[in-house]
Amino acid sequence: MPTRITISEAVRHEAETVEIAGWLYNIRKSGKIVFPLLRDGTGLMQCVAVKSALPEALFETIKNLTQESSIVVTGKIRADARAAGGFEMDVENLEVVQRVPESDPYPITPKEHGTEFLMDHRHLWLRSQRQHAIIRVRHAVIKAVRDYFDSHGFTLVDTPIFTPAACEGTTTLFEVNYFEDEKAYLTQSGQLYNEANAMAFGKVYCFGPTFRAEKSKTRRHLTEFWMVEPEMAYADLEEVKRVAEEMLLFITARVLETRREELKVLERDVAKLESVQSPFPRIGYDEAVKILQANGSEIQWGGDFGGTDETILTQQFDRPIMVDRFPSAIKAFYMAPDPDRPEVALGVDVLAPEGYGEIIGGGQRVHDPELLLRRIEEHQLPKEAFNWYLDLRKYGTVPHGGFGMGIERCVAWICGLEHIRETIAFPRMLYRLRP
Ligand code: 4AD
Ligand code: MG
C-alpha cells in the first residue's frame, strides 16, 4: 500500500509512489496525455496521466473527470522545476470518490464571476487559490498575535459574548432575548471585562468575535469581526502605543517569513510590508486635522475622521501611523482625559498605510471613580449594569490601558485587499447573512 501524503509533504517523497486524496482543480488535455491538476487543501499538484501507461478504462475515466470531483490519486513523485510546487506526479492509479455530473457542474469556473455571485457561493469560493491564500495569511496573523502576547507576559482571559450593556456606544448594539423578558446584547468589545481581568492578572488579552450593528456599507465594516484586545494595569498611553507598534512589527515580520507564497498569489507588493519598521510616526489629532485641511478635507477641529480622511492621512506615510489625543467628545465614555488638556482624550488610533485606515483603537482608561460615574451618567448608560465596573475604581484603582485590533482590517491591509469581506470565511455584513 502506498503511503498517503499531502501535497505539501511531496518534497520528502521524491521518486516514491504515494497516494494523495483531494479534488480536481482543473484539467488540461493534449492527445495521449492528460494533466489533472489536483488540490488537497495544502497545495496544488500537477498530475500526468499517459495513455500508453494506463489501462484504457482508467485513462478514459481520468480524461472525463469534471471540476471539483473528489479523487484519490496514486503515483510517483517527480521533481520538475517548471511545476507549481516544484513536483509532478506520474499517475499509476486514480480512484473517483465522487464525480461531479456534467448536468450540474461546479458553478465556479475559471472564467470571471461577479462579486455577488461569488459571495453567494462563498462555501465553494473558499476552494479557490486566492481565497485560500487570504485565509492562510489570516491564520498566520492570528497565530502571530497569540505568540506575541503569549511571549510577552500576557495571560489569555476570554470575555463574555452575551453582555448586559453597551461598551462602544448604544447605536451599534445587537439585542437578543435572554430568557424571561431579559435583554442581552452581543458584545461590541471585551474591554470592560478585560479591565477587571487586568486588575487580577496585570497583563491580559482576550481574543474573540465581536459584533456591531453597523449600518455602514463600506469596504471596512463587518457586523461580526474578530478582535484581539490586550489590557495592562499600571500602563499609560505611551505604553499602549509601544505595545501596539511592537505587536504590528511582530505580525508583519511573521507573515513575511511564513507566507511569501500566499502573498505572491495575492500579487501583494511585499516591499510595502517590508517598509513597516520602527518607529511608526506619532502625530496628535490637532496636527492630523491640519494635514487633512491642507489636503482638501472639509474636516474641522472636533470632527471625527471619515474613511476618506483616513485614506488621505495614511497616504502621506510608508508605515502605520499613530494618531492620539482626539477630542473627548467624539470618543467613548471610558477614555481618560489628558490632564493638561481635558478636552482631549488619552486615546490612540493606529492607521494602516496605503489608505487602509484604522486597524487599532485604544488608549488609557478613566481610573478616577467620580469622573467615571459622571461619564456613565453623561452618556446615559444604565448605572446598575456598570456597578461592577465602578468597583474596579473603588478597590485598588490604577492607571491602565489597552487597545483592540480588528483582525479582518489587519488582514485586509497585509493582503492588500480592496474589501474586508474576503478576510473571513463567512462574512457578516449589513446585506449579507448567507451562506
Ligand atoms: O475602535 P474600536 O471601536 O475600539 C474598541 O472597541 C475598544 N474597546 C478596544 C479596546 O481598547 N480594547 O474597535 C477596535 C478595532 C478597530 O480599530 C477596527 O480594527 C475594528 O476593531 N473594528 C471593526 N472591524 C471590522 N468591522 C467593524 N465594523 C469594526 N469596528 C471596529
Ligand atoms: Mg475606533
Side-chain angles (χ1 to χ4, degrees):
M1 277 289 283
T3 328
R4 165 85 56 102
I5 67 162
T6 62
I7 292 172
S8 63
E9 291 165 347
V11 57
R12 285 185 268 123
H13 295 272
E14 201 189 331
E16 269 177 54
T17 292
V18 295
E19 184 182 274
I20 303 177
W23 297 262
L24 186 81
Y25 195 66
N26 208 340
I27 190 160
R28 205 157 51 78
K29 299 165 200 181
S30 92
K32 294 178 167 48
I33 310 184
V34 173
F35 302 96
L37 188 59
L38 178 67
R39 66 162 191 93
D40 76 341
T42 74
L44 291 176
M45 173 69 80
Q46 163 134 306
C47 302
V48 184
V50 181
K51 188 171 184 191
S52 59
L54 296 170
E56 198 172 321
L58 177 59
F59 185 76
E60 283 304 302
T61 301
I62 297 174
K63 208 171 96 185
N64 294 316
L65 278 173
T66 46
Q67 197 189 345
E68 287 302 317
S69 290
S70 36
I71 51 180
V72 180
V73 191
T74 305
K76 193 181 267 180
I77 301 292
R78 177 168 44 76
D80 187 323
R82 292 162 306 171
F87 295 91
E88 285 191 345
M89 187 185 211
D90 291 319
V91 179
E92 292 168 17
N93 198 8
L94 187 148
E95 181 202 332
V96 180
V97 179
Q98 189 240 342
R99 184 171 186 278
V100 176
E102 272 96 0
S103 57
D104 191 4
Y106 187 67
I108 304 176
T109 57
K111 70 163 195 183
E112 285 281 310
H113 295 281
T115 307
E116 278 308 296
F117 176 88
L118 291 169
M119 289 302 290
D120 287 341
H121 294 84
R122 186 66 177 163
H123 51 297
L124 303 176
W125 190 22
L126 288 170
R127 302 181 186 191
S128 77
Q129 281 254 76
R130 187 184 144 78
Q131 298 310 311
H132 209 265
I134 296 168
I135 296 300
R136 280 176 50 85
V137 170
R138 177 190 170 101
H139 181 186
V141 167
I142 291 174
K143 178 80 164 68
V145 158
R146 291 200 181 275
D147 286 348
Y148 173 76
F149 288 114
D150 293 348
S151 61
H152 285 79
F154 288 76
T155 300
L156 171 73
V157 189
D158 287 314
T159 51
I161 287 174
F162 284 136
T163 59
C167 174
E168 295 300 319
T170 48
T171 56
T172 61
L173 280 175
F174 276 113
E175 192 178 285
V176 288
N177 290 326
Y178 196 76
F179 308 121
E180 317 290 324
D181 302 330
E182 197 177 348
K183 294 279 178 235
Y185 307 95
L186 298 183
T187 187
Q188 297 164 307
S189 156
Q191 183 196 317
L192 306 186
Y193 295 95
N194 240 0
E195 290 181 50
N197 298 337
M199 297 308 139
F201 294 87
K203 294 203 286 184
V204 297
Y205 73 102
C206 63
F207 184 25
T210 47
F211 306 85
R212 305 268 170 108
E214 302 264 15
K215 288 261 166 66
S216 28
K217 200 177 162 242
T218 77
R219 62 195 186 90
R220 299 173 181 176
H221 288 90
L222 295 169
T223 53
E224 175 181 317
F225 60 98
W226 286 67
M227 180 152 55
V228 61
E229 298 179 85
E231 190 72 27
M232 303 171 282
Y234 291 103
D236 61 6
L237 175 64
E238 290 311 306
E239 177 64 1
V240 169
K241 290 196 283 194
R242 189 192 67 75
V243 171
E245 177 177 304
E246 198 176 69
M247 178 197 75
L248 285 173
L249 292 170
F250 190 93
I251 296 170
T252 48
R254 175 70 70 78
V255 172
L256 283 168
E257 182 192 322
T258 62
R259 292 292 187 263
R260 286 268 169 186
E261 279 305 309
E262 286 77 6
L263 294 172
K264 205 153 94 195
V265 169
L266 298 169
E267 293 169 9
R268 180 67 167 122
D269 179 357
V270 288
K272 295 250 160 63
L273 297 177
E274 282 159 350
S275 62
V276 177
Q277 297 295 338
S278 181
F280 294 170
R282 286 155 161 78
I283 63 174
Y285 169 87
D286 299 357
E287 190 188 341
V289 169
K290 287 197 191 112
I291 296 176
L292 287 171
Q293 288 171 342
N295 284 279
S297 166
E298 307 269 272
I299 195 169
Q300 297 298 322
W301 198 98
D304 207 350
F305 299 156
T308 333
D309 292 323
E310 290 185 4
T311 304
I312 296 173
L313 213 47
T314 61
Q315 277 166 349
Q316 322 286 318
F317 304 93
D318 68 344
R319 57 193 78 185
I321 61 169
M322 302 191 160
V323 184
D324 70 3
R325 295 181 163 77
F326 285 80
S328 300
I330 56 169
K331 286 292 177 185
F333 77 96
Y334 54 70
M335 289 251 185
D338 184 339
D340 301 328
R341 281 180 73 193
E343 74 279 14
V344 298
L346 296 177
V348 62
D349 278 2
V350 182
L351 312 183
E354 301 170 72
Y356 280 93
E358 182 191 338
I359 53 170
I360 288 180
Q364 205 178 310
R365 325 303 187 187
V366 171
H367 70 282
D368 175 72
E370 277 84 51
L371 176 57
L372 184 61
L373 185 58
R374 217 158 58 232
R375 286 283 180 82
I376 288 172
E377 286 163 0
E378 281 164 12
H379 285 252
Q380 294 174 340
L381 296 167
K383 192 180 156 274
E384 331 71 66
F386 286 92
N387 280 333
W388 68 269
Y389 187 63
L390 286 157
D391 270 357
L392 305 176
R393 277 69 181 169
K394 277 201 269 176
Y395 305 115
T397 190
V398 301
H400 64 285
F403 64 82
M405 179 176 78
I407 288 296
E408 292 78 11
R409 294 239 184 124
C410 178
V411 173
W413 159 54
I414 289 183
C415 291
L417 307 180
E418 233 165 82
H419 199 291
I420 197 170
R421 66 186 154 219
E422 289 176 77
T423 62
I424 185 163
F426 294 98
R428 298 292 173 245
M429 296 177 288
L430 182 52
Y431 297 115
R432 167 92 35 205
L433 182 61
R434 296 190 172 80

